[in-house]
Amino acid sequence: MNAPATFRYGRDFEVVQRLRPEPMSDRERDAQALIEGLEFEIFQHKASMIALEGKETTMRLGASTAMRWGDVAFGIYTARGDLAICATGIYHHAVLSQIPVKYIVKHWRDDPSVGLNDGDSFFFNDPFYGGVHNADMGLAIPVFADGELVCFIGAAVHTGECGGSEPGGMVNGAHSRYDEGLLVPPIKIGENFVLKEDLLAMLSNMTRDPRTMMLDIKARLAACRIAERRVKEIIVEKGADFYVGALRRVLQVTGEAARKKVSLINDGVYRQPRFMDTTGPEDALLKINLTVIKKGNKIKLCFEGSSPAIPDRPVNSYFQGIIGLAMVYFCGWFFHDLPANNGLLEAIEWEFPEDTFVNAKGDMPVSYAPATQVAFTQGMFMCGARMMYAIDPLRAVGCWYSGFAVTPFGGFNQWGEPIADITPEINATGAGARPDMDGVDSAGAFFATMSDCGDIESMEADRPFVYLFRNFFNTSYGHGKFRGGSGVGYGVMVHGVPWVAIGGMGFGTRFPATLGIFGGRASPPVFVQSVHGSNMKTLLAEGNSDMPRNMGELYENATVETGDRTLGHVSSPPKAFAEGDTLYVPVLGGAGYGDVLEREPARVAADLKRNLVTPWAAANIYKVAFDKETLRIDQAGTEALRLATREERKRAGKPYAEFIKTWSELRPKPEVLRYYGAYPDPAAQLGKAA
């Protein structure tokens, strides 16, 4: 395990703590007198448009799945590294991408062997400085005006391959960080507006997909250079003093507004434990014990009682990654009307206990940290809904699907080119239900709300897959008075290559990953089907009409396709799939809101007509009586069914003390708890609770 560094080449444990804005410099303070209200508003708009242009340019020039479909954050940073202007729907980068920039300022600005000069560019991907995992990579450039460093511009994007011991950016079998591929702290890869070919050659040699790696790096840089020109146009017009002062003012007003909004919430303690059913390579129970304390104008996140760290499993997360994913909720939902920058953290505090898997240390692997982080985020959504209900009930919403359903793959494509990436359907999950309407179907990814899953033809063009179907997956969401948005299911067949390695990443096969709110129900558990030695190519050639056309039909009738069928956890190590083998993956919908018995029967009928709910669920969950041929609702029959169900609920109810007594006697099997810690309170094992 790594101890705190005592020499300059070790990890910098100080810089990763600097998530909030740096203290205002004398230069920034002196410039505040130049910033007037109207001019400041115009500046904010212009700067936001520059960042948006940078984001869109990055997407259009990149090659990886995530870059093409929107897993992009583009920002303008102060000269001290604070992210002031951000264009993204992937909000965790709104605070995490500043850490590498602050590292550059701290270590390289005054170093004679590196330095900061006009035309430089820096690359980074070490998750210790980014907080998520190795596949998230970034590039930043310094911007100068008359020789003065006035800001940085950067792009952070998930690139699908990082050279780990398994393809696709997520290493299921990682035992230490050295299994996970590239670990690059911020390094200078360009000088005098030219990338250094020797370093590009080194980076490309360390990944399975060098073409994508290089195109993504160059896409980031090209977008940064375009934004740099736009920034210099503002400086020419308004002056460097105004520009430097305005960037700082953005952070200042954001922090003030964030504290003011937090002060409106009722003081209190909000708790939401979250559970995971995997460590990456194996099934096991883990606990993230989230407590949110609201007092005055501050919100504090506490994690006492979370499961212990697992030194040789990839599900650990750095604390900074957890804070980054907290911003998915805060930027997108709670502070939705404020700019996305690290000024928001002026209103947020945190406390992470040592030796827990949400506070990784040393050589612990973290390539599955995104799963842990999104598990936490769903707890943040649920606490947030309860916090918000008193002041803005329409913002108290159910969570989008948060179990992940990532399919990493690697090998060669049909053109003989090396590839390693993930499929884009992670960006097709359903949104959570709301107090006044259903969640949006296939809305995107909750952590990347502006993302897209792309079109099938573009995937098939340079990936060794033929899509058998991709469409809505009925009953893939949480039921409720308002249901979650539907997710999708897709099936692919390996085509045009002898074989390709395919794995899976996520959680929620043993129990639901996405829970309902205010009486709404959870999205169902999810499992992956694969068929090795499939006869699918023959079925396609024959034009067989009995092949499943969606996940519902696949579950009801899988006999037409023969072969070695396996039902597996959504988290799985990569395995070889031969040409003609098939894979079926459900990407689920959002959480439900409110009691299912309060759902309007007309809404159930509409879902039946669109095949978004099964007749069984309509009758047995929503208790709706209807004609199976015409789908016409029997109102009287429905009222009778619901009345009988409510009476049955009363008969089944127990006093709270009686329920707790029975519940407390239950205990999972020992093998399920081998990583959990002391049951039921993991903190007891760490000597921090009785």
Side-chain angles (χ1 to χ4, degrees):
M1 303 293 288
N2 288 352
T6 57
F7 63 108
R8 68 173 299 178
Y9 299 109
R11 284 177 162 176
D12 186 337
F13 291 86
E14 184 273 335
V15 76
V16 299
Q17 301 288 338
R18 289 159 50 185
L19 291 169
R20 297 186 184 88
E22 299 294 304
M24 186 180 293
S25 68
D26 293 340
R27 174 84 166 87
E28 293 169 328
R29 186 175 294 104
D30 293 342
Q32 294 306 304
L34 302 173
I35 315 302
E36 297 179 358
L38 180 59
E39 291 296 317
F40 178 63
E41 295 295 329
I42 294 172
F43 166 81
Q44 279 191 294
H45 178 73
K46 285 184 176 180
S48 297
M49 291 301 100
I50 291 171
L52 182 60
E53 181 184 18
K55 172 179 174 286
E56 296 295 325
T57 301
T58 309
M59 291 172 56
R60 282 167 171 73
L61 296 179
S64 63
T65 295
M67 187 173 284
R68 287 189 290 175
W69 307 127
D71 189 348
V72 176
F74 194 92
I76 302 173
Y77 308 76
T78 69
R80 305 179 75 188
D82 291 310
L83 179 59
I85 306 294
C86 185
T88 182
I90 186 158
Y91 289 112
H92 52 275
H93 289 308
V95 296
L96 294 179
S97 61
Q98 64 177 313
I99 298 176
V101 179
K102 290 183 177 180
Y103 181 101
I104 293 168
V105 174
K106 178 178 178 179
H107 291 281
W108 302 144
R109 179 174 183 173
D110 298 320
D111 188 293
S113 68
V114 183
L116 283 181
N117 300 289
D118 203 14
D120 287 348
S121 52
F122 292 82
F123 173 85
F124 43 85
N125 90 306
D126 187 340
F128 184 72
Y129 299 111
V132 185
H133 63 157
N134 307 53
D136 283 332
M137 306 181 188
L139 183 142
I141 65 170
V143 178
F144 291 82
D146 295 326
E148 178 195 7
L149 175 67
V150 293
C151 72
F152 288 85
I153 296 172
V157 188
H158 176 105
T159 288
E161 168 59 17
C162 57
S165 58
E166 297 171 8
M170 279 80 66
V171 182
N172 181 282
H175 292 285
S176 78
R177 65 188 181 114
Y178 305 108
D179 293 320
E180 296 178 322
L182 286 171
L183 286 168
V184 183
I187 62 169
K188 185 184 290 190
I189 62 167
E191 293 179 318
N192 298 318
F193 300 95
V194 177
L195 289 170
K196 301 177 70 172
E197 289 296 325
D198 55 345
L199 292 181
L200 294 185
M202 179 189 73
L203 293 173
S204 67
N205 192 51
M206 293 180 176
T207 67
R208 293 174 179 82
D209 192 344
R211 179 181 68 101
T212 296
M213 180 77 171
M214 292 302 102
L215 287 174
D216 279 6
I217 288 175
K218 293 178 179 180
R220 295 182 186 96
L221 179 57
C224 287
R225 292 299 177 205
I226 291 173
E228 180 184 28
R229 291 201 296 270
R230 304 285 188 258
V231 164
K232 288 186 174 180
E233 290 171 0
I234 294 179
I235 293 174
V236 168
E237 178 185 357
K238 303 297 296 182
D241 291 343
F242 174 88
Y243 181 79
V244 169
L247 282 183
R248 166 53 65 171
R249 179 69 65 85
V250 172
L251 294 168
Q252 182 180 357
V253 299
T254 300
E256 292 171 354
R259 291 191 297 271
K260 181 177 180 180
K261 186 162 188 176
V262 168
S263 69
L264 300 176
I265 306 172
N266 294 330
D267 285 357
V269 178
Y270 306 82
R271 295 182 174 91
Q272 185 61 55
R274 294 289 292 122
F275 297 93
M276 298 178 64
D277 62 356
T278 183
T279 67
E282 58 197 329
D283 295 357
L285 186 66
L286 298 173
K287 181 180 183 181
I288 303 170
N289 199 44
L290 173 64
T291 301
V292 179
I293 302 172
K294 158 51 178 68
K295 186 175 182 180
N297 61 2
K298 294 290 182 70
I299 290 173
K300 186 175 183 179
L301 311 180
C302 301
F303 296 87
E304 188 74 24
S306 297
S307 290
I310 314 176
D312 61 347
R313 294 294 185 271
V315 77
N316 302 290
S317 170
Y318 294 122
F319 87 90
Q320 52 268 38
I322 297 290
I323 298 304
L325 265 291
M327 300 313 291
V328 172
Y329 172 74
F330 284 115
C331 290
W333 278 262
F334 186 80
F335 295 127
H336 63 92
D337 49 353
L338 299 180
N341 59 58
N342 66 311
L344 298 173
L345 288 179
E346 297 280 14
I348 312 297
E349 298 176 335
W350 50 86
E351 184 177 292
F352 286 84
E354 298 292 327
D355 304 318
T356 56
F357 84 115
V358 293
N359 191 10
K361 298 291 176 62
D363 292 344
M364 294 177 187
V366 296
S367 54
Y368 265 45
T372 301
Q373 293 162 11
V374 300
F376 147 74
T377 310
Q378 211 239 353
M380 191 65 248
F381 266 82
M382 297 181 75
C383 288
R386 296 195 289 272
M387 288 193 298
M388 287 293 291
Y389 191 83
I391 66 168
D392 190 358
L394 290 181
R395 289 278 163 183
V397 300
C399 188
W400 295 30
Y401 175 61
S402 57
F404 267 171
V406 182
T407 306
F409 59 87
F412 290 86
N413 67 9
Q414 60 270 45
W415 311 110
E417 300 167 332
I419 56 166
D421 209 330
I422 59 175
T423 59
E425 282 74 24
I426 187 177
N427 291 338
T429 68
R434 291 164 284 181
D436 56 347
M437 65 181 71
D438 294 340
V440 177
D441 299 326
S442 296
F446 83 93
F447 60 89
T449 52
M450 301 302 291
S451 60
D452 186 17
C453 66
D455 57 84
I456 286 172
E457 289 77 12
S458 65
M459 279 292 292
E460 292 179 333
D462 61 355
R463 300 292 190 259
F465 304 120
V466 167
Y467 275 78
L468 305 174
F469 61 82
R470 187 177 78 178
N471 43 37
F472 290 139
F473 175 20
N474 60 20
T475 317
S476 61
Y477 45 79
H479 301 287
K481 176 180 181 180
F482 295 104
R483 64 165 176 82
S486 177
V488 302
Y490 69 95
V492 294
M493 180 185 73
V494 176
H495 178 66
V497 295
W499 65 272
V500 64
I502 305 176
M505 178 205 177
F507 64 100
T509 293
R510 295 294 183 178
F511 51 80
T514 305
L515 306 181
I517 192 74
F518 300 142
R521 299 197 181 185
S523 302
V526 58
F527 61 92
V528 175
Q529 297 192 48
S530 59
V531 183
H532 292 267
S534 170
N535 64 335
M536 183 57 68
K537 295 195 79 169
T538 300
L539 295 175
L540 290 171
E542 294 174 349
N544 192 301
S545 60
D546 293 327
M547 292 186 299
R549 294 164 294 182
N550 54 57
M551 295 301 291
E553 291 183 5
L554 178 73
Y555 293 158
E556 293 168 6
N557 179 22
T559 57
V560 67
E561 181 185 9
T562 60
D564 181 12
R565 185 178 300 273
T566 301
L567 308 180
H569 199 290
V570 67
S571 174
S572 61
K575 298 178 181 178
F577 280 67
E579 183 168 19
D581 289 350
T582 58
L583 179 74
Y584 302 94
V585 182
V587 183
L588 296 188
Y593 185 108
D595 190 345
V596 292
L597 299 185
E598 296 180 6
R599 185 164 180 79
E600 296 176 4
R603 290 182 179 272
V604 178
D607 285 344
L608 282 167
K609 292 174 182 177
R610 297 179 60 203
N611 195 34
L612 292 182
V613 69
T614 63
W616 185 93
N620 293 279
I621 294 177
Y622 291 108
K623 301 298 181 180
V624 171
F626 61 95
D627 185 286
K628 293 183 179 180
E629 297 297 326
T630 65
L631 303 183
R632 182 172 295 174
I633 300 296
D634 177 354
Q635 294 289 352
T638 297
E639 290 176 8
L641 284 173
R642 291 183 168 182
L643 178 61
T645 301
R646 289 188 174 97
E647 292 300 319
E648 177 59 30
R649 288 179 178 179
K650 293 177 183 178
R651 288 192 295 270
K654 296 180 180 180
Y656 180 73
E658 181 182 342
F659 168 78
I660 288 297
K661 182 178 184 300
T662 304
W663 179 259
S664 299
E665 294 172 353
L666 302 176
R667 184 183 181 91
K669 295 179 180 179
E671 59 268 26
V672 174
L673 297 174
R674 61 192 181 278
Y675 299 111
Y676 181 89
Y679 187 84
D681 180 9
Q685 178 171 310
L686 301 174
K688 298 177 181 178

